[in-house]
Amino acid sequence: MLTKQTFIFQSIRWVFAKVFFTHYIHIRNSLNRKSNKSFFGMLQVLKTFLLLALLILMSTSSFSQSGKVDHITFGRRMDKPIKIEVMESGSSYSFYARNRSFYTYIVTLKIDNIYNLNPAYVNKTYKVLPGRHALITLNVNDKEFSSGYRYSYSFSLGVPCSDINESYPYLLPFMAPFTYEFVDEAGTTIYKNSFLLSKGDTVYAMRKGRVVATPGMYHEGDRISKKESFEVLHKDGTILVYENLDSDVVFAKPEKTVYPGQPIGIVDDTGKLHIELYAVLGKGRLKPLNINFCINANETVGFSKLRNSMISSYPEEVVKREMSKSEIKKLQKGKLFSDK
């Protein structure tokens, strides 16, 4: 069955082809009637052919580029973040997935060559949070006979984002009245989503989320960035990566919740804080997203619209936006961050 895009594309090709052949035959017949088979006459036919062929080719290129997704491929950093464990009893085989990372994984388990067990075939996908989780149990049909199976599994980091709030306001990662720069001493503009700070400057969480990786944590869990990064998983499944943080000074541990305006670390020797926001596409793919920086209670701007040395703003309604009632009460009493 043809998709709508394929149907339109083929229709355009058919129209161009029809115009080409009609025009070509008209010129050829005209030349034959005049008995003019000179070099210039043939050249006119050739030019017509090349022009229409080029138009057809252009239509092909335009459709082949449509729908392209800008994404990066993520390769896991941790050795075997997911392990499958099988517990055997006299009447069953229970399968468990152990997630050694702080990220959530999508795990696909396939069990075949099953005999004297029920169910007779398994091919299921599971969302596996950190820790050990039960997947499925195979029960023995008849204890008088032997039983067996063969299994394989695959996994990918993160749950694909299906409901991203692309207009969400993100606080700047430093507290007012702190000012920041986009241009270094040589007058060179630094990269997008990068801020020129000083070694030891405090970095603050931009949105509420669960900590999934911290600087210096390489073997204890998985991570997206190769650099000294602090990574936070948000409610809508997006991931915010804070890069170039000092691994010796970390204010929040993995699995803990951080809140907007909460200190999470300090800038390392580079003096440059870089941040990236990603959406999980599945199968090891991440899509970079634009960040809406909050400059006041009612306005957000992209990175290119931020002014040099702008003073950061932390509107109360933005800070409390994703907090529960109990969290807001703790915040008002000054106890929200102290509990972490």
Side-chain angles (χ1 to χ4, degrees):
M1 181 179 294
L2 294 178
T3 63
K4 182 177 180 181
Q5 178 176 315
T6 304
F7 175 78
I8 295 174
F9 167 63
Q10 291 188 356
S11 298
I12 292 175
R13 289 184 62 186
W14 179 83
V15 171
F16 275 121
K18 184 176 180 180
V19 172
F20 162 69
F21 285 113
T22 300
H23 194 51
Y24 175 82
I25 292 173
H26 173 73
I27 294 174
R28 187 189 64 182
N29 292 339
S30 177
L31 290 173
N32 288 337
R33 284 196 301 269
K34 297 178 180 180
S35 299
N36 182 8
K37 296 185 179 181
S38 65
F39 170 78
F40 293 103
M42 296 302 296
L43 182 60
Q44 184 179 6
V45 175
L46 180 60
K47 286 172 62 178
T48 303
F49 172 84
L50 292 176
L51 175 61
L52 291 174
L54 178 61
L55 290 174
I56 295 174
L57 181 61
M58 288 174 63
S59 69
T60 304
S61 298
S62 64
F63 277 93
S64 66
Q65 293 173 3
S66 65
K68 181 179 179 182
V69 177
D70 180 20
H71 70 270
I72 61 175
T73 301
F74 166 76
R76 67 178 187 273
R77 315 284 182 224
M78 186 181 185
D79 182 33
K80 296 182 180 180
I82 298 293
K83 290 187 175 181
I84 298 297
E85 301 173 352
V86 183
M87 304 299 294
E88 180 182 354
S89 68
S91 59
S92 65
Y93 297 86
S94 297
F95 289 75
Y96 296 84
R98 184 179 295 278
N99 182 354
R100 299 169 56 232
S101 173
F102 297 104
Y103 273 101
T104 300
Y105 274 83
I106 297 298
V107 178
T108 299
L109 175 65
K110 181 179 179 180
I111 311 176
D112 56 12
N113 285 6
I114 298 174
Y115 56 93
N116 195 29
L117 293 170
N118 184 44
Y121 179 76
V122 175
N123 189 3
K124 290 187 175 182
T125 299
Y126 305 87
K127 181 174 73 173
V128 179
L129 300 173
R132 186 172 184 262
H133 303 275
L135 301 182
I136 193 171
T137 296
L138 302 182
N139 296 303
V140 176
N141 292 326
D142 191 337
K143 295 182 180 180
E144 298 296 324
F145 297 93
S146 62
S147 56
Y149 59 86
R150 180 182 65 183
Y151 77 89
S152 61
Y153 67 102
S154 61
F155 53 86
S156 60
L157 181 145
V159 178
C161 299
S162 58
D163 189 21
I164 301 173
N165 185 354
E166 296 190 17
S167 63
Y168 192 90
Y170 287 82
L171 300 180
L172 286 163
F174 12 83
M175 189 70 73
F178 188 86
T179 60
Y180 51 89
E181 303 288 341
F182 298 113
V183 180
D184 60 21
E185 295 178 355
T188 303
T189 302
I190 57 180
Y191 294 108
K192 178 182 178 181
N193 295 338
S194 294
F195 302 90
L196 187 62
L197 306 176
S198 299
K199 176 184 176 181
D201 284 340
T202 302
V203 178
Y204 297 83
M206 302 168 65
R207 181 181 176 182
K208 178 183 174 181
R210 179 169 61 87
V211 180
V212 287
T214 58
M217 184 190 76
Y218 298 111
H219 303 292
E220 298 84 359
D222 218 339
R223 64 192 310 109
I224 290 176
S225 177
K226 293 181 179 179
K227 300 180 180 179
E228 297 290 354
S229 64
F230 189 97
E231 302 177 8
V232 178
L233 177 64
H234 302 136
K235 181 180 180 180
D236 60 1
T238 56
I239 301 167
L240 190 59
V241 178
Y242 306 75
E243 293 184 345
N244 300 331
L245 270 64
D246 193 327
S247 60
D248 294 328
V249 184
V250 180
F251 298 142
K253 298 179 180 179
E255 283 284 82
K256 296 295 185 179
T257 299
V258 291
Y259 300 92
Q262 177 178 344
I264 59 174
I266 64 174
V267 179
D268 64 11
D269 294 340
T270 64
K272 294 180 180 179
L273 173 67
H274 182 73
I275 54 177
E276 287 289 349
L277 180 65
Y278 296 104
V280 178
L281 300 180
K283 298 182 179 180
R285 297 174 302 151
L286 300 170
K287 180 181 179 180
L289 300 175
N290 291 324
I291 301 175
N292 301 302
F293 293 95
C294 175
I295 57 175
N296 58 55
N298 303 310
E299 186 179 5
T300 61
V301 296
F303 182 81
S304 62
K305 297 295 180 65
L306 289 173
R307 298 191 304 274
N308 199 42
S309 298
M310 179 185 290
I311 298 177
S312 56
S313 174
Y314 277 37
E316 183 178 357
E317 50 267 51
V318 176
V319 172
K320 297 179 179 179
R321 183 164 178 166
E322 292 182 313
M323 291 185 183
S324 64
K325 292 182 179 180
S326 61
E327 289 171 339
I328 292 176
K329 288 182 179 180
K330 287 185 178 181
L331 178 67
Q332 293 171 340
K333 294 179 180 179
K335 296 182 178 181
L336 185 61
F337 301 162
S338 61
D339 291 345
K340 301 300 169 184

